[in-house]
Amino acid sequence: MPTSKALLTGLFMLAALVAPATAKDSTIPDPWSEKTIGAHVDPEKYSGTLSKDKLQSLTTIGEALFKARFTTIDGVGRPMATQAIIPTKRKRPPQQSFQRLAGMDSNACSSCHNDPIIGGAGDFVTNVFVSEGFTNADFDSTDPQFSNERNTNHLMGAGLIELLAREMSADLQDQRRAALEAARASGKPQVAQLNSKGVDFGKIIAGPDGIVDLSAIDGVDTDLVIRPFSQKGVIGSLRQFTVNALNHHHGMQAEERFGARWTGENDFDADGIEGEMTRGDISALVAWQATLKPPIQLAPENAQWRQLALEGSELLDETGCTQCHRRHLPLNSLSFVDPGPLDSAGTLRQGDVSQTATYDLALMAWSAALPRDESGAVLVPLFGDLKRHTIADQQIAHLGNELLGQRFVDRDVFMTGELWGIASTAPFGHRGDLSTLDEVIRVHGGDARQSRDRYMELDDAQRVALIAYLKTLVIEP
Amino acid sequence: MNKTSAFCITTALLMSGWALMAHAADEARQTAVQMDVPVMAEQAKAAGLEHSYTGPWEYFVGGGAASLDCNGDRFPDLMLAGGTSKVQLFVNESKPAGPLKFTPQKLDISDTELESVTGLYPIDLNNDGFKDVVMLRLGRNIILKGGPDCSFSNANREFAFDGGRAWTTAFAATFERDQPFPTLAFGNYVDRSAPGSPWGTCHDNVLLRAQGTDSPHYSEADILTPGFCTLSMLFTDWNRSGTPALRMTNDRQYYRDGEEQMWRVDPGKPPRLFRRSDGWKRVNIWGMGIAEGDIDADGFPEYALTSMGDTKLQTLDSEAEEGRPVYRDIAYERHATAHRPYIGSDLKPSTGWHSEFADFNNDGLLDLYIAKGNVERMPDFAAFDPDNLLLGQHDGTFVEVGDRAGIDLDRRGRGAAIADFNMDGNLDLVVVNREAPASVFRNLGGKADWGARPMGNWLQIELQQDGENINAVGATILVKSGNATRLRKIQTGGGHASGHAGFVHVGTGVAERAQIRVQWPDGEWSPPYRVFANNFVIIRRGDANARYWYP
């Protein structure tokens, strides 16, 4: 009679024989492992134009990475590196690896971007404290002289936003090129009005000697690159954002910026882990974010709400809100090429790889619902203009409540916040310290002052209608 | 076996052991390069640049190159010294980021004057907006006055410039305080007419301070004696005093009791040599070229001095008494000795000429280029002696990548020009070779499996000021990104018989933005200018904002 141990062994062997021969996904760690990253993503497997299945496979990995609560085995922590976007050494390791202010301040991307779904925004509790990380990198005070406190933005539809920014940057740079050619050909200075997708970015004066006077540009950086991400509008691509944030919030350092090519070290943050985030890992995260379904406009079942929203929509135009919160911007192509065309060294560039990857957003089920104009361009309903504006003045100063400029952008200048999904992303304002839409509208100053004043002049019912309309702009759970 | 033999054998064994270890260490370092190695593709023929530096003994030295924009398109043009061959001017017709393309343009100067030229330095002497070129010659030096469309004329008479009769091999210029025109320094080599020549017969050097108000007149000379066969010189603000001194590197081959020299050149006073009592230490080398570069951006420059086997990399000794020019050689600890060929089997010492700090891979760290080549057929020195490209590393050391970059040609290098000739952000390299075609290396980017890839970010900066010294010779440029500051000087002089005027290139690594501050030659600081990387930046004194130039 066999012993129980022998019987058990036999059962295990039998189970092994009858188990389906499924290939293990090496990018997913074993369930009992304290690692959250399995094998790093092989970028060669995901190059060229990705099929629907391939794209799905990559975004699945990206989502897992976005949700992963990174551990020290993965490389979480940056004992000898600051949060700075340029690799910067600390003088000594911090006392605590996690620190709510200077960071690292979270385990996972989804720890903050989670409302109402993963990839969404965050409550006040998810605010980040943005500092350059060069001097006073280890600040331990919420005093605004050390950092700008910002609420977490949502990422829904981020791929469309980046594509718009790429096309707009190309437009502006084409206009600069044309002005220079005309100036050189005519021997006379040429004034070029900068405009893309109906948004005005001021003007430049191109001289016949090739020198460009940039003093009259408006709402865009001097290199005429639209940087659509962050409340300030200073981050150019999802890829750049991802590399920045992984270091800042988690101490997970991407090789493409913190690796030996640029720092001379394979373990720049000195946490004992090399190659924490590879090019393929970043690509997976980018792919997932780029393919996130954009927010939608709800058609309320409640008839009264429907009616109010209809009126409110008109009021949004009448008050002038849509001069900046433009209902949509036309997008010519849904091909999202990664790496993108505008990043500079430290974020993977197209020339850094033998073959780029293209994610056709038209493969996503949600793309069919996007409206198009007569030329076939997708009308991206972002309610924004991807332009920076002064948003505070002497009387209405709340949204200029920061003390520090950021990356050459003054303290009271911000990118127009896109309103799509606004109803799902309370609290409001850059700091997330305004609990109602009414409150945040009332604190629009600076370039938005006129519209805000018109809103103030509306009667109560009209204001309710306008907000009822904004309440239809939701992130679909 | 006697004691002497035993000692010799032991010494030889130790030396060979040391050499093997050093070689192994070199190899280990060579395999460890992780930053971008620039792909330097030699394209002289395709670029239309055919030129050689030729001649007998007198032209064993020299072989200069001047890079300057002579037609106002901001693309650097080239003028190359020819020795017994004529100086040639090559107008840059490269397209932005395209293949390098040069077209020879005839100079309206007599053939005799274009011959016997050893070196060339560009500078706007008379503040007319056109770069002039100082031609160093065996015999009378000549100032070529620049005009529109790369026209040049002999301006010796107009500038009351005698030119001398010496064998001139070095030059430097500075705008002294409150002076409208630059002060010129000429370094001379062997006085061939002196009894006993060439040994111990070094010519004196000369300092010329400009007279005149409308136009410079160089009729009065200060003699800098003793001269020790100077092969390169530069004005350098070694102590951050705002008053540059004149540093010279001298060839020990021909001087007696000589040494390296530095002259105090205080405005309105006769030049005075720094002496032992000032802290100056004796250094004897076969000094061929000087480069200044502030590796750590502390305001106190380092100097790379080329020689025969004993390249020096000097830094101001931090332990020395403040204000004293006491220098420490850090070539060994920084792996920058470049003392023998880094490839091939020839272990004899190598012979260095032009030296220049520049950031070839745009990683934000200064690299060091050294032109190499046997004097002629000196049997005790390496015959195959490839040029060096020493990449700066984050730990402060350098690593040799000349072979991997592709500049390891079997040519005897002399002078060189390092500039971005096709305005793509990458520094290209033109080398004047002795009795061999000049080399034109196009920097294609970082080496990659598929060819080349883009390297780090960069800026190129042009300074402008009204009135005098319009190109701001002597200015300091600080480029700050994060906690890193990169420092550059606008200089006329140094290298080996070769000078550059035009954009100043700065690699910024992964920084996509930078703040630029300028200390103008009179000491005034500019406000900070905020710029985005990968742009050509024009900073005009007094302007609130920088402007960009597009090729």
Side-chain angles (χ1 to χ4, degrees):
Chain A
M1 188 173 173
T3 64
S4 59
K5 188 177 174 185
L7 189 63
L8 199 62
T9 308
L11 280 171
F12 272 126
M13 288 176 71
L14 188 64
L17 284 171
V18 299
T22 51
K24 182 180 180 301
D25 183 350
S26 61
T27 61
I28 299 170
D30 294 321
W32 57 88
S33 170
E34 290 206 282
K35 276 174 71 68
T36 64
I37 304 174
H40 292 291
V41 178
D42 176 5
E44 304 305 327
K45 279 175 61 180
Y46 298 100
S47 58
T49 300
L50 269 56
S51 66
K52 193 171 183 179
D53 288 346
K54 277 270 185 193
L55 184 56
Q56 176 66 45
S57 165
L58 187 61
T59 56
T60 301
I61 300 168
E63 182 174 10
L65 287 171
F66 197 85
K67 292 192 288 193
R69 292 181 184 272
F70 299 119
T71 69
T72 50
I73 307 170
D74 302 316
V76 84
R78 44 178 169 81
M80 287 307 293
T82 76
Q83 65 272 45
I85 56 172
I86 300 171
T88 303
K89 287 281 189 189
R90 286 180 194 275
K91 288 184 179 159
R92 59 193 74 82
Q95 285 191 317
Q96 295 95 13
S97 56
F98 279 95
Q99 203 261 39
R100 186 61 190 85
L101 300 169
M104 61 176 195
D105 54 3
S106 80
N107 254 141
C109 308
S110 60
S111 302
C112 295
H113 294 281
N114 57 27
D115 187 15
I117 55 173
I118 301 298
D123 196 353
F124 186 83
V125 72
T126 68
N127 280 8
V128 299
F129 295 83
V130 179
S131 122
E132 284 190 320
F134 298 122
T135 54
N136 300 314
D138 286 327
F139 61 95
D140 57 1
S141 163
T142 57
D143 188 321
Q145 68 176 305
F146 296 111
S147 68
N148 295 323
E149 184 177 356
R150 304 259 177 82
N151 191 222
T152 299
N153 281 344
H154 77 76
L155 297 163
M156 312 309 292
L160 298 173
I161 296 285
E162 181 165 342
L163 288 177
L164 281 171
R166 291 180 188 180
E167 289 186 0
M168 293 169 81
S169 301
D171 285 349
L172 301 184
Q173 293 175 7
D174 281 348
Q175 287 157 22
R176 181 183 64 204
R177 196 174 300 117
L180 280 164
E181 282 174 11
R184 282 182 162 126
S186 66
K188 293 176 182 167
Q190 299 288 319
V191 178
Q193 205 68 39
L194 299 173
N195 189 292
S196 177
K197 303 188 187 295
V199 181
D200 177 59
F201 290 94
K203 64 182 178 187
I204 56 170
I205 304 170
D209 57 358
I211 296 176
V212 175
D213 184 340
L214 299 152
S215 56
I217 59 171
D218 183 22
V220 64
D221 288 320
T222 52
D223 56 358
L224 305 187
V225 172
I226 305 281
R227 294 181 166 83
F229 298 117
S230 80
Q231 314 228 25
K232 203 75 171 172
V234 290
I235 297 178
S237 68
L238 285 170
R239 192 152 197 124
Q240 187 187 30
F241 161 72
T242 303
V243 172
N244 290 357
L246 280 167
N247 176 60
H248 180 170
H249 302 302
H250 319 305
M252 293 293 291
Q253 300 199 314
E255 283 182 321
E256 64 194 64
R257 186 179 306 159
F258 295 87
R261 182 183 178 195
W262 301 117
T263 65
E265 298 178 47
N266 291 313
D267 179 20
F268 184 77
D269 57 10
D271 61 0
I273 307 293
E274 298 181 356
E276 294 170 1
M277 297 300 285
T278 64
R279 168 188 149 197
D281 299 336
I282 303 294
S283 295
L285 278 161
V286 169
W288 182 73
Q289 293 169 87
T291 53
L292 283 173
K293 179 182 176 181
I296 60 162
Q297 185 172 347
L298 197 68
E301 289 179 12
N302 180 306
Q304 186 182 359
W305 185 4
R306 251 197 334 269
Q307 182 55 39
L308 282 169
L310 211 57
E311 293 168 27
S313 176
E314 287 175 12
L315 287 166
L316 197 72
D317 291 329
E318 287 170 18
T319 49
C321 298
T322 50
Q323 285 174 12
C324 296
H325 293 290
R326 293 180 183 243
R327 290 176 181 277
H328 53 248
L329 293 176
L331 177 65
N332 296 319
S333 170
L334 287 173
S335 287
F336 187 101
V337 180
D338 181 54
L342 295 169
D343 279 312
S344 58
T347 302
L348 200 72
R349 296 159 294 182
Q350 294 186 344
D352 286 324
V353 297
S354 56
Q355 193 178 12
T356 58
T358 300
Y359 317 136
D360 182 2
L361 302 189
L363 294 173
M364 309 307 294
W366 49 258
S367 69
L370 291 170
R372 289 179 180 264
D373 66 12
E374 60 280 3
S375 71
V378 170
L379 298 176
V380 180
L382 75 166
F383 290 87
D385 59 1
L386 302 186
K387 180 181 172 181
R388 290 194 293 250
H389 302 270
T390 303
I391 196 62
D393 55 41
Q394 288 282 3
Q395 293 79 34
I396 308 296
H398 184 90
L399 291 178
N401 56 1
E402 296 184 346
L403 289 185
L404 305 173
Q406 185 185 2
R407 302 192 208 172
F408 301 171
V409 183
D410 287 342
R411 50 190 286 277
D412 55 355
V413 174
F414 289 84
M415 179 156 278
T416 304
E418 293 99 37
L419 296 183
W420 62 355
I422 190 76
S424 306
T425 58
F428 309 108
H430 309 128
R431 189 168 168 266
D433 53 5
L434 299 161
S435 62
T436 67
L437 289 164
D438 176 68
E439 286 170 297
V440 73
I441 296 169
R442 287 171 186 267
V443 296
H444 276 55
D447 295 349
R449 180 65 185 273
Q450 272 193 332
S451 299
R452 172 261 185 200
D453 288 348
R454 286 193 203 115
Y455 172 79
M456 299 289 285
E457 289 160 9
L458 299 177
D459 60 32
D460 287 350
Q462 288 173 312
R463 283 200 290 270
V464 166
L466 193 147
I467 286 167
Y469 175 67
L470 294 178
K471 284 284 204 179
T472 65
L473 306 178
V474 300
I475 294 169
E476 201 167 34
Chain B
M1 187 187 291
N2 59 31
K3 278 183 179 175
T4 312
S5 304
F7 175 77
C8 288
I9 290 170
T10 310
T11 308
L13 284 170
L14 282 171
M15 292 287 284
S16 59
W18 177 84
L20 281 172
M21 282 190 293
H23 194 63
D26 284 347
E27 282 186 347
R29 276 198 300 276
Q30 285 202 21
T31 55
V33 176
Q34 291 169 306
M35 71 271 278
D36 282 323
V37 173
V39 178
M40 307 294 285
E42 208 289 314
Q43 300 180 343
K45 208 161 195 176
L49 194 145
E50 291 186 42
H51 181 85
S52 290
Y53 182 70
T54 60
W57 174 65
E58 287 86 347
Y59 304 101
F60 287 2
V61 297
S67 61
L68 68 157
D69 170 28
C70 60
N71 55 8
D73 64 359
R74 286 193 164 78
F75 280 66
D77 307 297
L78 273 171
M79 200 181 279
L80 305 181
T84 52
S85 304
K86 287 198 289 287
V87 164
Q88 288 198 83
L89 170 66
F90 294 91
V91 175
N92 188 348
E93 295 186 345
S94 311
K95 300 293 179 205
L100 301 183
K101 181 72 188 159
F102 295 94
T103 302
Q105 180 166 314
K106 191 171 176 351
L107 286 159
D108 192 17
I109 307 289
S110 74
D111 285 356
T112 322
E113 291 174 329
L114 293 177
E115 290 169 355
S116 309
V117 174
T118 58
L120 298 159
Y121 285 89
I123 182 172
D124 185 354
L125 289 169
N126 57 348
N127 304 314
D128 66 354
F130 298 107
K131 303 283 189 315
D132 312 304
V133 176
V134 177
M135 291 205 302
L136 313 184
R137 299 178 73 247
L138 181 69
R140 193 165 65 97
N141 297 318
I142 295 172
I143 295 174
L144 296 181
K145 182 182 168 188
D149 300 323
C150 296
S151 59
F152 290 91
S153 58
N154 183 330
N156 280 17
R157 185 184 297 268
E158 181 180 344
F159 294 159
F161 175 65
D162 171 63
R165 270 151 293 281
W167 175 4
T168 304
T169 44
F171 176 79
T174 185
F175 282 78
E176 292 189 82
R177 191 188 311 148
D178 301 326
Q179 295 302 309
F181 304 113
T183 295
L184 313 181
F186 290 85
N188 298 320
Y189 204 46
V190 172
D191 181 353
R192 294 170 302 157
S193 61
S197 173
W199 286 279
T201 60
C202 295
H203 226 296
D204 287 336
N205 298 323
V206 177
L207 186 83
L208 301 175
R209 286 176 155 140
Q211 316 294 315
T213 49
D214 298 334
S215 169
H217 285 190
Y218 292 107
S219 51
E220 293 180 23
D222 284 309
I223 304 302
L224 305 175
T225 187
F228 291 135
C229 293
T230 302
L231 282 178
S232 184
M233 52 171 48
L234 51 75
F235 282 99
T236 177
D237 188 6
W238 66 276
N239 58 352
R240 296 203 303 192
S241 65
T243 302
L246 179 61
R247 174 104 201 233
M248 299 172 176
T249 192
N250 300 320
D251 186 1
R252 64 179 286 188
Q253 182 77 10
Y254 294 121
Y255 63 62
R256 284 188 189 135
D257 299 323
E259 60 180 318
E260 297 289 284
Q261 291 170 303
M262 188 159 74
W263 293 82
R264 188 191 300 274
V265 184
D266 291 333
K269 294 182 182 173
R272 186 177 79 74
L273 202 55
F274 280 89
R275 301 179 187 281
R276 295 291 172 274
S277 55
D278 298 311
W280 185 252
K281 283 184 178 174
R282 175 184 290 271
V283 173
N284 297 104
I285 57 173
W286 289 274
M288 311 284 204
I290 306 182
E292 173 181 332
D294 197 346
I295 296 172
D296 51 8
D298 64 353
F300 297 106
E302 280 69 42
Y303 302 94
L305 308 172
T306 54
S307 180
M308 299 170 76
D310 52 356
T311 302
K312 303 290 182 196
L313 180 60
Q314 294 188 330
T315 191
L316 196 62
D317 192 337
S318 58
E319 293 181 7
E321 196 179 330
E322 191 176 341
R324 292 166 71 82
V326 181
Y327 284 89
R328 189 166 66 84
D329 181 20
I330 54 172
Y332 183 76
E333 67 192 61
R334 300 295 181 100
H335 308 162
T337 54
H339 56 291
R340 64 167 184 235
Y342 48 90
I343 53 168
S345 54
D346 196 338
L347 291 180
K348 290 174 186 166
S350 67
T351 309
W353 300 89
H354 186 87
S355 59
E356 190 166 341
F357 288 100
D359 187 353
F360 281 89
N361 58 357
N362 293 338
D363 64 354
L365 303 170
L366 277 177
D367 312 315
L368 178 59
Y369 166 78
I370 301 174
K372 288 280 184 70
N374 197 296
V375 172
E376 182 64 3
R377 285 186 208 86
M378 289 184 81
D380 293 335
F381 291 85
F384 169 58
D385 199 0
D387 297 353
N388 298 97
L389 180 52
L390 291 153
L391 290 187
Q393 304 192 99
H394 289 271
D395 63 2
T397 65
F398 292 86
V399 61
E400 179 62 59
V401 299
D403 50 342
R404 277 168 284 187
I407 65 164
D408 56 334
L409 305 187
D410 187 8
R411 293 175 181 174
R412 284 173 292 185
R414 291 294 189 266
I418 298 170
D420 180 3
F421 289 104
N422 61 349
M423 299 303 192
D424 64 352
N426 300 332
L427 286 174
D428 309 298
L429 169 67
V430 171
V431 186
V432 177
N433 297 302
R434 177 172 161 69
E435 299 287 358
S439 313
V440 176
F441 295 100
R442 179 182 171 196
N443 186 342
L444 296 170
K447 188 165 274 191
D449 293 341
W450 58 90
R453 61 183 179 181
M455 302 185 291
N457 299 319
W458 53 270
L459 285 164
Q460 298 195 54
I461 302 160
E462 176 185 304
L463 302 185
Q464 300 176 347
Q465 55 179 1
D466 293 333
E468 297 146 4
N469 190 9
I470 60 176
N471 301 123
V473 173
T476 302
I477 301 171
L478 296 180
V479 177
K480 186 172 186 296
S481 302
N483 288 345
T485 299
R486 283 130 192 148
L487 187 151
R488 299 288 190 274
K489 288 275 187 184
I490 297 193
Q491 281 179 318
T492 303
H496 182 75
S498 303
H500 167 72
F503 281 109
V504 174
H505 173 278
V506 185
T508 65
V510 298
E512 64 170 0
R513 299 168 174 79
Q515 281 199 79
I516 299 174
R517 287 189 78 205
V518 177
Q519 187 176 30
W520 296 96
D522 63 6
E524 183 180 302
W525 282 97
S526 77
Y529 294 100
R530 296 167 162 185
V531 297
F532 281 83
N534 307 324
N535 278 300
F536 295 87
V537 177
I538 311 287
I539 295 177
R540 194 169 51 193
R541 188 169 185 171
D543 278 3
N545 297 302
R547 296 173 297 162
Y548 294 159
W549 173 81
Y550 295 89

